[in-house]
Structures are given as structure tokens and as C-alpha cells.
Amino acid sequence: MNNKAQGQGKRLAEGFLRYRTGLVIGGMIGLVSGGIFGLLFGGFIGYLLEKTIRKARDLSPQQLFFKATFSAMGKIAKADGRVSESEIELAREVMARMNLNDEARKRAIAHFNEGKGSEFDLGIVLQPLAIMLRRRPAVKLMFIEMQLAIAMADGEISEPELRVIEEICRHLRFNPHEMEAVVQRIRAAQAFQQHSYDAHGRATPGNQGMLLQDAYGVIGVSPDATDEEVKKAWRKLMSQHHPDKLVARGLPEEMMLLATEKVQEIQAAYERIREARGMR
């Protein structure tokens, strides 16, 4: 019994030593705001926070991205109080398009459900993710695009969903101007897919005109852009979403198919513009 108590005491001391930064910072903040009680409480919270963040950092880049992706999706889906059928369907669709095996699918669902929890703190996964993506802007962009897609699954972004998206952008240092540009491209991509489907059924001049307008939105340029500006925007997007480059920079291999679909979507929009303009 005495040996057991000694072992527990040793592990506790080792834990305090390992996570002493969080313990000290939390304790100092607590002392200023709440005296001795605040010191103890703040130290404990700081200890737990650093321990959690270190565990997240111990994950590989691919594991961290995977966990952050689905837990953030769960947080966004539950932001306005209930998870809509369209949000659930999109999450299932993402998992299906990734061809996840049973084990990976279970992990994705577990992360999604964890994110739905009222007490879940996104900072736990986003802080280490932000460090990982600091020099990987293309992977960061892919992450933001996936989160915006779940927020827009039911048509528009609600205020609670927007607050979660803004929190994600703050953690990842993705400014509002960049976010708005991505929102516009996703809206255009959704419309492009719908109008492409409609055009197969009844190819009217009106459908073709809307399809071309959507194509410009997917590329992120105005219809008044020069041919060179269109090509430059297309090349940039193709480079940012190149599947092999993204996987090499930390995107989980399971998500390569999503990146491939994005590249195909960008290419289809570019071909539509190129055909309309007679570009070579």
C-alpha cells in the first residue's frame, strides 16, 4: 500500500514538472483574480490545459488534421442548438467520399460527436493545428473550406455558426477578407454543380449563362477579368489544391479524394470559361 502511494506521488510530481508552464501561468492569473483560491484553481486549470494541448501535439500532422476536421464540423453543426439533417448528411457524405475503413469511420464519428458536446473547447485542437499549418497555407485553406461547407450545408451560415467559423479563423490566423473570398467561391461552386446538373436535363441559354457566371465565381475572378488574370487565378487554385502537395504537407491521405474532386471542379469551371472566351 505504501509502495502504491509512493508510485502515485511520483507520477503526480512528474506530471506537475512536465506541465509546470501551464501550472505556473494559470496559477499567476488565478492569484491576481482570486487570491489563494484563485491560485489553486488557476494552476489546476492551466495544468489540465497544457496536458491536453501536449497530447494533441503528440499526434501526427495527419491525425491532428483528421481530429480537428471532424470535431470542428461537429461544433459548427451544433452551434445553433440542433444538428440539421443536411449537416448530418454532408458529414456522412464527406466520410463516404473519403472511402474510410470501419476504424477510421468510427474515429471520424467519435470526433464529430465530441465536437458537438457543449463543453468542447475548439482551442484544444486548433492551437496545435495552427502551429502545424503556420507554413502550410494550402492545407490551412483546405481545412477552412471544409468547415465552411458544413456551415453552408443548409443554405446559409447562421449567426452561431458564423461565430464558430470566426473562432476557427482567429486560431488559424485566417483574416475576414480571405474568409469572405472562400465563402463566395463555395457558393459559386454549389451553384455551378446545380446548374451543371440542370444543363444536362435542359440546356437553355439561361442555364448556360448562369453556368458561365458560376464558373467565374469558382475561379474567383470577375467576368471582366483579362485572359491572363483568369489563367493566373486558375493556376494558383490548382497549385493550392494539388492532392499530392497537400498530402505531403500534412493532409491525411484519406482526404486526397476530396482534394482531387476540388481540382476537377476548378478545372471544369476553367474549361467552361476558356470555351466561352475561345482561349487557348
Side-chain angles (χ1 to χ4, degrees), residues 1-267:
M1 188 72 176
N2 192 34
N3 288 338
K4 183 178 180 180
Q6 286 179 346
Q8 290 175 337
K10 183 179 179 182
R11 286 193 295 273
L12 186 62
E14 288 173 349
F16 283 151
L17 183 62
R18 185 179 182 188
Y19 307 119
R20 61 185 179 277
T21 302
L23 186 67
V24 171
I25 293 175
M28 290 176 65
I29 294 172
L31 179 63
V32 172
S33 59
I36 297 300
F37 177 77
L39 170 68
L40 296 174
F41 183 73
F44 178 67
I45 295 298
Y47 165 81
L48 291 180
L49 183 59
E50 184 179 1
K51 184 177 180 181
T52 304
I53 291 175
R54 277 179 178 259
K55 282 184 178 179
R57 284 179 179 170
D58 289 340
L59 297 173
S60 71
Q62 288 79 13
Q63 290 172 325
L64 179 56
F65 190 99
F66 188 91
K67 177 179 175 64
T69 294
F70 287 103
S71 57
M73 280 185 175
K75 187 76 171 180
I76 291 168
K78 193 63 184 293
D80 46 13
R82 62 177 294 273
V83 182
S84 70
E85 284 300 319
S86 54
E87 288 166 334
I88 293 173
E89 185 57 34
L90 179 59
R92 286 174 179 162
E93 183 184 333
V94 169
M95 294 177 199
R97 284 157 59 195
M98 289 169 64
N99 287 333
L100 298 180
N101 59 35
D102 288 343
E103 182 185 346
R105 186 180 178 84
K106 287 177 182 177
R107 282 192 288 115
I109 293 172
H111 295 325
F112 186 85
N113 289 335
E114 183 182 9
K116 290 193 307 182
S118 59
E119 301 301 317
F120 181 72
D121 181 3
L122 266 179
I124 290 173
V125 291
L126 292 183
Q127 288 175 13
L129 184 69
I131 294 171
M132 185 194 94
L133 299 183
R134 185 168 48 196
R135 300 180 186 276
R136 303 174 188 182
V139 185
K140 182 192 300 186
L141 176 62
M142 185 77 178
F143 183 86
I144 296 291
E145 286 176 341
M146 294 178 73
Q147 301 312 319
L148 282 167
I150 195 80
M152 298 167 68
D154 47 8
E156 284 298 327
I157 305 177
S158 68
E159 281 300 319
E161 289 171 335
L162 181 60
R163 286 195 291 272
V164 178
I165 290 290
E166 288 174 341
E167 179 186 354
I168 292 171
C169 289
R170 282 195 303 273
H171 278 291
L172 300 185
R173 297 185 179 180
F174 202 79
N175 68 53
H177 177 72
E178 291 174 315
M179 187 189 82
E180 184 57 32
V182 175
V183 169
Q184 295 304 322
R185 287 207 307 272
I186 290 175
R187 283 183 176 144
Q190 291 174 338
F192 184 74
Q193 290 176 358
Q194 183 60 49
H195 291 145
S196 294
Y197 177 80
D198 292 343
H200 285 302
R202 44 189 178 86
T204 66
N207 282 343
Q208 296 301 319
M210 287 188 291
L211 197 56
L212 179 59
Q213 185 72 27
D214 298 334
Y216 281 112
V218 172
I219 301 299
V221 296
S222 162
D224 298 328
T226 65
D227 289 356
E228 189 55 41
E229 288 170 336
V230 171
K231 287 181 182 178
K232 183 177 179 181
W234 164 70
R235 288 182 185 131
K236 181 178 180 181
L237 286 174
M238 291 293 281
S239 177
Q240 288 174 328
H241 295 85
H242 193 287
D244 292 331
K245 290 182 180 178
L246 288 170
V247 169
R249 292 168 184 168
L251 186 76
E253 288 191 12
E254 297 96 331
M255 295 184 180
M256 181 182 276
L257 286 176
L258 300 180
T260 300
E261 289 176 3
K262 192 68 179 178
V263 163
Q264 292 171 344
E265 176 186 276
I266 294 165
Q267 185 62 34

